[in-house]
């Protein structure tokens, strides 16, 4: 929504034509046409324009401008023009893909194995502090698996040592176990 204000204390604005245009190939207007007509805007009054736009998926994260070219007349028929810019922010959501951890299918109590995970940044923005936490009955990781920061379109892997102990849940010391790997990452915000 764009709010127009007639800042004059005495003069009405008449026959206002507002043409909207996108200053970037990544931005396009949807819905209403690119031109809006307002018959009259009284002194100190406002008018709200509703505009729908689309920022293309290929757009880099950042600021874009929507330009408003206005032409209007006063009560005496004098014609005025003005150009204003509306700044729009484009935010790209992170898109990550994680491979399951590589853990041997059979382990013995007291084994220590290296468990690794792989992450892929499929988004268009950098992600920060990519890490994984492994939790499973009978498996004790040395710590959080830290991959680090990742640029768009990259993949990275990291691992940690995991000690194998007996099962603590249920009535058996040995057998199958299951667990979770939780991945964490941060965007620029």
């Amino acid at each position: 929504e764009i709010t127009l204000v007639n800042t004059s204390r005495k003069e009405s604005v008449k026959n206002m034509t507002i043409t909207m245009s996108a200053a970037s190939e990544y931005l396009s207007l949807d819905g209403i046409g690119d031109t809006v007509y307002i018959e009259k805007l009284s002194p100190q009054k406002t008018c709200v324009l509703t505009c729908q736009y689309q920022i293309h998926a290929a757009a880099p994260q950042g600021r874009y401008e929507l330009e408003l070219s206005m032409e209007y007349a006063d009560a005496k028929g004098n014609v005025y023009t003005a150009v204003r810019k509306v700044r729009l922010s484009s935010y790209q959501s992170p898109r990550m893909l994680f491979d399951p951890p590589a853990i041997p299918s059979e382990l013995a109590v007291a084994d220590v194995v290296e468990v690794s995970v792989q992450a892929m940044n499929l988004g268009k923005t950098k992600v920060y502090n990519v890490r994984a936490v492994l939790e499973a009955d009978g498996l004790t990781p040395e710590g959080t698996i830290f991959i680090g920061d990742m640029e768009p379109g990259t993949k990275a892997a990291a691992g940690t040592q995991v000690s194998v102990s007996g099962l603590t849940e249920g009535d058996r010391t040995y057998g199958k176990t299951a667990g979770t790997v939780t991945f964490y990452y941060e965007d620029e915000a």
Side-chain angles (χ1 to χ4, degrees), residues 69-107:
S69 299
M70 298 174 274
E71 186 173 302
Y72 54 93
D74 63 15
K76 297 173 187 163
N78 297 317
V79 177
Y80 301 91
T81 60
V83 175
R84 296 291 182 262
K85 294 184 180 185
V86 177
R87 289 188 175 84
L88 309 168
S89 294
S90 168
Y91 171 77
Q92 295 283 352
S93 297
R95 285 187 39 223
M96 297 291 293
L97 180 66
F98 301 99
D99 286 340
I103 300 175
S105 60
E106 292 185 18
L107 298 168

Side-chain angles (χ1 to χ4, degrees), residues 133-151:
V133 175
L134 171 67
E135 296 175 293
D137 187 26
L139 301 178
T140 306
E142 191 175 86
T144 299
I145 302 170
F146 186 74
I147 296 174
D149 299 345
M150 294 180 64
E151 294 292 333

Side-chain angles (χ1 to χ4, degrees), residues 96-160:
M96 297 291 293
L97 180 66
F98 301 99
D99 286 340
I103 300 175
S105 60
E106 292 185 18
L107 298 168
V109 171
D111 281 352
V112 176
V113 295
E114 176 77 16
V115 174
S116 63
V117 294
Q118 181 171 305
M120 292 170 270
N121 183 352
L122 304 177
K124 299 191 183 315
T125 60
K126 185 175 182 176
V127 292
Y128 300 88
N129 299 318
V130 180
R131 58 206 181 277
V133 175
L134 171 67
E135 296 175 293
D137 187 26
L139 301 178
T140 306
E142 191 175 86
T144 299
I145 302 170
F146 186 74
I147 296 174
D149 299 345
M150 294 180 64
E151 294 292 333
T154 61
K155 68 179 178 177
T160 190

Side-chain angles (χ1 to χ4, degrees), residues 21-24 27 63-67 85-89:
S21 61
S24 170
L27 181 65
R63 296 195 132 198
Y64 294 90
E65 291 182 343
L66 181 65
E67 188 172 277
K85 294 184 180 185
V86 177
R87 289 188 175 84
L88 309 168
S89 294

